[in-house]
Amino acid sequence: MPEYERWSEARTNAIIAEHAGEPGATLPILHALQEVFGHVPVEAEPLVAAALNLSRAEVHGIVTFYHDFRRHAPGRHVLRLCRAEACQAAGGEALATEVRRRHGIDWHATTPDGALTLEPVFCLGLCACAPAAMLDGEVLGRLDEATLDEALECVA
Amino acid sequence: MSRLRLYLPADAAAIAVGADRVAAALRAAGAARGIAIDLVRTGTRGMVWLEPLLEAESAEGRIGFGPMRPADAEGVLAAILDGGTHAKALGPVVQIPFLREQTRLVFARCGITNPLSPEDYAAHGGWKGLARAKSLGAAATVEEIVASGLRGRGGAGFPTGIKWRTAAAAVGSPKYIVCNADEGDSGTFADRMVMEGDPFLLIEGMTIAGFAVGASQGYIYIRSEYPHAVAAMREAIRIAAREGALDGFALEVRVGAGAYVCGEETSLLDSLEGKRGMVRAKPPLPAIQGLWGKPTVINNVISLASVPWIMAEGAGAYRGFGLGRSRGTMPVQLAGNVRHGGLYECAFGVTLGELVQRVGGGTASGRPVRAVQVGGPLGAYFPPALFDTPFDYEAFAARDGLIGHGGVVVFDDTVDMARQARFAMEFCGLESCGKCTPCRIGSVRGVEVIDRLLAGVRPEAQRELLADLCHTMKYGSLCALGGFTPYPVMSALTHFPEDFVPRAGARMAAE
Ligand SMILES: Cc1cc2nc3c(=O)[nH]c(=O)nc-3n(C[C@H](O)[C@H](O)[C@H](O)COP(=O)(O)O)c2cc1C
């Protein structure tokens, strides 16, 4: 289970400083922020902008352009379920419907107890062992209700 | 304590179906017998339906066992050590027809070697291509790639050598080699397999490209959905640099952020520069003004990974495979609802039907194949009536399809083709960079039109409108995201019209 730090300006500036010298540093910085905080807090945007000599609007535009960057902290566990064609062909949509029903959440939502966030993903490259998913960074293939339930035991 | 050497893939697909748990079970079973297991974690052979596929050295070569479950560890170990049979025994791995019938040029080492062992790489023919390039010189290397007939494996099929020639001749410094490892197409995983299973191959290909066009910096842009590939490439680069294999060529991995459109080359360059991944108008070509406005070769992983073989064995040998203007080999990826899912590298020319039925063994569900989507989310859906189409760029284009990056996604007869067409439009809307109107707005309208058609709101008029909209998107979009989304939509409508009829319950959603 990933542990995220509470947002702090000092920590954010330290992360930014680690990468600011690289050419095209924006994505490396945003990835690093999300890894530490679990999301890219809106408070971080002006700091990134100042460090990279961009406008805040530009940084906001970049953060919101990419599907990966979360605006809010996720639940304790994150399930990224593949919704692309190969997984569709192998029953992925039915599996997704069942997960949403059972946990009472839609895509991008977190269960009220903060245990699980469900996110769609469009291809993990596990298309020959579909349907596939990623749970807290662990890859899962050949999923069905039983195997997914087993993997999600940690959430209960 | 005696030792036993075994091979088990650490490819993400193998791990996703339990390879790490099998590894632990094997070690435990070995310990129980007083045997130290020397478990080499390889890439995958690409026979994903057999994963986790364990291999043991024997007098007849490597013997396979799969698909392994942790509970099989003890019994399989006994079969290996004491002789005897096991239900999971597959015999000599190279004799499995799926593997035996392939022409593995790019994937020659994948599944055999330790991906991060420079000794293994060199012992299995690595670095020969770079050495020959160096002995030929830069200009002759470019011409060798031109002569090989290699075309870009990322989707567009542009001749790689011509691109290199343009970048070599372009004025500007520094020059860059960018590897497109965004591999966003559902149904494809060839790039991932190379990066995880034979990363030095890609490094060699990029180093040759850098030498050929005069670039000293390379970037590999890998999708964030591939953490194993990111880790393997970073480690391999570190090792290759330490070994002095890069000759001063600097290589760096950058990670995408979940945007499909960033696989489009100009959008990828914007993303690398730290911006939103907006598609650029061409010209200028990236080869002339690419990354930070400098001459840039941007190639797919498989294009670059084909280069070492071509340089080592010669353009003529490579040209000898394939047909027409499609030369060499293509790693075909069989995915979705298919019995024998995996990667099958073969010369161009094999028919779609052979791939799906004979190689792939039909559906995993055992139901009849109804449709296959070839070439990712922007590729056409083909019915079995078109299974005589040979795997060849021009043959697919002639039938309003594309081979793209070589992905073949199989669907059985439970598929709802109107739903697939709707998904294609929806996906285009979700992933559009927003720069051009046909893609940004057309995709949203496309979903609405399909919804109205299925709701029975003047269905004839909607069918006509959909065709008209697809025409606008095809010819009016800035890049192939909007430009090719009509392929899945129109192929579904053309080949499966029976699915595009008003249905009960759909009316509410459309209003
Ligand atoms: C929407 C879109 C997505 C693409 N995704 C990829 C991709 O993931 N990988 C890739 O190599 N090419 C992709 N391409 C093709 C690239 O634009 C480009 O043709 C390719 O990187 C050139 O390399 P190649 O000549 O070696 O194929 C995509 C194109 C479009 C329009």
Side-chain angles (χ1 to χ4, degrees):
Chain A
M1 187 172 106
E3 292 282 345
Y4 300 118
E5 293 178 27
R6 217 170 233 293
W7 187 75
S8 91
E9 184 167 332
R11 184 80 166 101
T12 300
N13 279 323
I15 293 167
I16 292 171
E18 264 177 61
H19 297 278
E22 300 169 20
T26 330
L27 262 67
I29 288 174
L30 296 177
H31 275 304
L33 290 174
Q34 176 145 311
E35 202 170 307
V36 171
F37 302 120
H39 66 303
V40 180
V42 70
E43 298 91 327
E45 288 178 4
L47 305 179
V48 175
L52 299 182
N53 200 20
L54 297 170
S55 72
R56 183 179 174 169
E58 277 173 288
V59 173
H60 184 75
I62 295 166
V63 176
T64 53
F65 179 89
Y66 294 98
H67 299 299
D68 274 6
F69 301 126
R70 294 187 198 103
R71 309 317 328 271
H72 303 285
R76 291 189 293 282
H77 300 277
V78 177
L79 178 67
R80 307 181 74 194
L81 211 49
C82 181
R83 300 195 69 190
E85 290 89 341
C87 286
Q88 292 169 11
E93 281 303 290
L95 191 65
T97 304
E98 183 53 26
V99 170
R100 281 148 67 207
R101 191 192 63 78
R102 199 170 301 186
H103 294 271
I105 45 170
D106 208 339
W107 299 108
H108 301 288
T110 302
T111 52
D113 62 357
L116 181 69
T117 298
L118 178 65
E119 294 180 346
V121 63
F122 290 92
C123 202
L124 296 162
L126 304 172
C127 321
C129 53
M134 202 181 255
L135 178 64
D136 300 333
E138 298 288 322
V139 283
L140 304 168
R142 268 179 223 151
L143 285 169
D144 55 28
E145 272 180 43
T147 48
L148 188 56
D149 267 354
E150 195 183 313
L152 283 173
E153 260 166 30
C154 64
V155 175
Chain B
M1 196 148 93
S2 62
R3 299 188 71 85
L4 174 67
R5 173 167 289 196
L6 299 172
Y7 302 85
L8 185 73
D11 178 276
I15 292 173
V17 295
D20 287 348
R21 271 174 282 131
V22 169
L26 284 165
R27 288 205 181 89
R33 288 187 62 139
I35 285 175
I37 298 208
D38 176 14
L39 192 62
V40 180
R41 301 300 296 268
T42 60
T44 174
R45 300 265 196 177
M47 297 184 284
V48 178
W49 84 98
L50 294 176
E51 293 292 358
L53 171 57
L54 178 73
E55 298 182 21
E57 213 71 79
S58 86
E60 312 151 80
R62 290 191 195 170
I63 303 292
F65 297 87
M68 289 284 292
R69 296 172 58 91
D72 298 322
E74 222 181 288
V76 165
L77 210 55
I80 293 168
L81 293 168
D82 314 330
T85 58
H86 191 277
K88 297 283 173 81
L90 300 163
V93 175
V94 293
Q95 292 307 325
I96 298 173
F98 187 96
L99 195 56
R100 191 183 62 219
E101 293 168 9
Q102 294 185 46
T103 304
R104 306 263 284 205
L105 310 186
V106 176
F107 288 88
R109 266 176 302 265
C110 197
I112 296 173
T113 54
N114 172 352
L116 291 173
S117 159
E119 295 79 19
D120 271 16
Y121 187 67
H124 287 79
W127 306 118
K128 272 205 230 157
L130 179 61
R132 178 149 176 275
K134 289 274 159 90
S135 74
L136 285 179
T141 297
V142 171
E143 292 315 309
E144 190 79 0
I145 299 302
V146 173
S148 75
L150 175 66
R151 293 168 69 178
R153 303 294 190 236
F158 187 82
T160 303
I162 304 293
K163 189 181 280 189
W164 289 20
R165 215 190 245 164
T166 308
V171 189
S173 159
K175 294 179 182 179
Y176 296 102
I177 306 297
V178 173
C179 172
N180 188 340
D182 200 52
E183 195 158 68
D185 291 359
S186 174
T188 69
F189 42 86
D191 297 350
R192 187 181 62 65
M193 268 180 60
V194 167
M195 292 189 286
E196 294 179 13
D198 200 9
F200 294 123
L201 176 65
L202 178 57
I203 291 173
E204 185 180 353
M206 290 185 74
T207 308
I208 294 171
F211 168 71
V213 307
S216 55
Q217 169 81 49
Y219 287 99
I220 308 174
Y221 185 96
I222 307 179
R223 69 196 336 256
S224 63
E225 294 84 351
Y226 283 3
H228 303 82
V230 169
M233 282 314 310
R234 286 199 166 132
E235 184 60 11
I237 289 168
R238 204 183 55 75
I239 295 169
R242 186 190 69 204
E243 303 269 314
L246 300 186
D247 246 356
F249 184 65
L251 261 176
E252 191 181 325
V253 169
R254 286 292 174 96
V255 181
Y260 176 73
V261 75
C262 286
E264 194 282 332
E265 57 187 12
T266 62
S267 162
L268 188 153
L269 294 176
D270 267 20
S271 182
L272 264 182
E273 291 180 8
K275 306 172 192 159
R276 290 190 288 161
M278 301 292 278
V279 172
R280 302 177 185 174
K282 285 187 278 193
L285 293 172
I288 294 169
Q289 277 181 43
L291 191 60
W292 289 295
K294 302 296 181 185
T296 302
V297 164
I298 174 159
N299 272 134
N300 171 255
V301 173
I302 301 299
S303 313
L304 290 162
S306 300
V307 165
W309 195 92
I310 295 168
M311 292 313 299
E313 308 298 328
Y318 192 75
R319 275 199 77 81
F321 297 104
L323 77 172
R325 291 177 49 220
S326 304
R327 316 306 305 193
T329 59
M330 185 76 190
V332 177
Q333 298 131 85
L334 298 167
N337 187 348
V338 64
R339 197 148 79 94
H340 297 161
L343 179 138
Y344 186 85
E345 182 178 355
C346 58
F348 286 96
V350 49
T351 67
L352 181 57
E354 269 180 87
L355 288 168
V356 173
Q357 305 289 16
R358 190 177 57 76
V359 178
T363 64
S365 61
R367 303 182 66 95
V369 174
R370 178 145 186 257
V372 297
Q373 187 178 29
V374 184
L378 307 176
Y381 285 99
F382 276 17
L386 297 181
F387 275 9
D388 61 339
T389 315
F391 223 78
D392 162 77
Y393 293 98
E394 279 69 34
F396 267 75
R399 288 183 161 178
D400 289 323
L402 48 118
I403 61 174
H405 185 48
V408 177
V409 177
V410 181
F411 293 80
D412 72 13
D413 61 351
T414 60
V415 67
D416 174 349
M417 294 307 296
R419 190 176 168 148
Q420 297 309 119
R422 187 185 190 279
F423 174 77
M425 283 291 192
E426 196 185 357
F427 185 70
C428 178
L430 199 61
E431 301 299 328
S432 176
C433 81
K435 190 156 172 171
C436 74
T437 314
C439 174
R440 184 183 71 243
I441 307 288
S443 55
V444 178
R445 294 290 167 262
V447 171
E448 294 166 0
V449 171
I450 294 172
D451 282 348
R452 280 201 298 272
L453 194 168
L454 298 183
V457 184
R458 291 179 292 116
E460 255 334 295
Q462 309 303 341
R463 246 185 290 265
E464 221 171 280
L465 194 57
L466 188 59
D468 188 53
L469 177 63
C470 282
H471 186 271
T472 302
M473 288 175 72
K474 186 168 176 182
Y475 296 103
S477 297
L478 192 55
C479 84
L481 178 51
F484 286 5
T485 292
Y487 279 120
V489 175
M490 289 309 295
S491 59
L493 189 62
T494 306
H495 302 305
F496 307 92
E498 62 277 20
D499 285 15
F500 290 79
V501 291
R503 44 189 82 177
R507 179 174 286 271
M508 298 290 279
E511 281 168 359

